[in-house]
Amino acid sequence: MEELRNAIINVLRKVRAHRNLYVRNEEAVKQHLIGEIFQALGWDWNNPEEVRPEERTEDGRADYSLILDGGVFAYVEAKNMGVNILKRDEPLRQLARYCFNSGVRYGILTNGTVWIAVKAFEEGSRLWDRVLVAVNVEEEPLERAVLKLSLLSKARIRDIERLSSLLKALELSFEGLRREGYSEKTLVEYLTSREGSTTVPVTELRGDESPKAAYVYDNGWKLLPLPEKSIKGVLLAVLLYIEKKSSGYQREEIRKAYEHIRTLKLDPKTALEVLRKLEEEEKLRIAVEL
């Protein structure tokens, strides 16, 4: 989802630089913001076999239709950023009418920064009860926005109802357990722990262990390849991880440190001290599997 993450960041940059344009100009929102997000979601924005602009319906023209398996899967309605689509009912009702009268099951309403996906019809339900995804990329944490928007990707949108239901259940369970006194850290570690493994934070190591694997926490625990199964190997793996996340002078310095340590006969306890210092300075969470 790195491409989607980068697209959201780029959209936010554009909005910060040209907000007045996007507040009044719907066409600019379509061309500069919406298209970039859909491209990152895997839709070929300029291919009429996947995306068609100005799709005619009985109630007017939908701004876009998303095509899957040769048929319209969802209509997309665009507004400028001056339209508060989370508070105004009419834009969503307009979209629902387009869908209902054409037999299209799903609709997506967006003003470039706020996105709403809705199930257009279901007997005995109200419109806002059928909202599957609602995300405001300006106000929500980036990773949360990325995950929610990913439900609109070409690869996942067929399962949007099931995935939306799972995501809502996760959110409700998570918040319920937090209200019961469990910390967010404890819950995240529970969800991301690996069954059958003994994973220990570096702060609890003695230095005489033989690690099988190393992990760093980066929006979830990520496995780091070990150049050797030792505390020194964990240190080298962490340095490579930091190098990839760095740039310019800092990256060069980390590479030099890596090459220097790689050639040393480093005492395990010294390697552990360096690891703990790195964890503190770089604000990392590092763990090893024993």
Side-chain angles (χ1 to χ4, degrees), residues 103-130:
V104 173
R105 191 173 185 84
Y106 303 107
I108 300 167
L109 176 65
T110 178
N111 65 5
T113 58
V114 177
W115 294 72
I116 302 172
V118 65
K119 184 178 179 181
F121 42 85
E122 185 176 81
E123 188 175 351
S125 66
R126 297 176 300 176
L127 180 60
W128 284 95
D129 293 336
R130 300 197 300 274

Side-chain angles (χ1 to χ4, degrees), residues 94-151:
Q94 175 189 6
L95 174 62
R97 287 194 297 271
Y98 290 162
C99 295
F100 183 81
N101 291 328
S102 302
V104 173
R105 191 173 185 84
Y106 303 107
I108 300 167
L109 176 65
T110 178
N111 65 5
T113 58
V114 177
W115 294 72
I116 302 172
V118 65
K119 184 178 179 181
F121 42 85
E122 185 176 81
E123 188 175 351
S125 66
R126 297 176 300 176
L127 180 60
W128 284 95
D129 293 336
R130 300 197 300 274
V131 168
L132 301 171
V133 178
V135 55
N136 185 335
V137 300
E138 284 195 287
E139 295 184 3
E140 298 190 40
L142 178 60
E143 297 306 321
R144 185 180 177 93
V146 169
L147 178 58
K148 290 165 76 174
L149 274 179
S150 73
L151 272 60

Side-chain angles (χ1 to χ4, degrees), residues 56-70:
R56 185 185 296 276
T57 77
E58 291 182 13
D59 277 86
R61 291 181 182 272
D63 288 312
Y64 302 99
S65 58
L66 302 181
I67 310 301
L68 285 177
D69 305 320

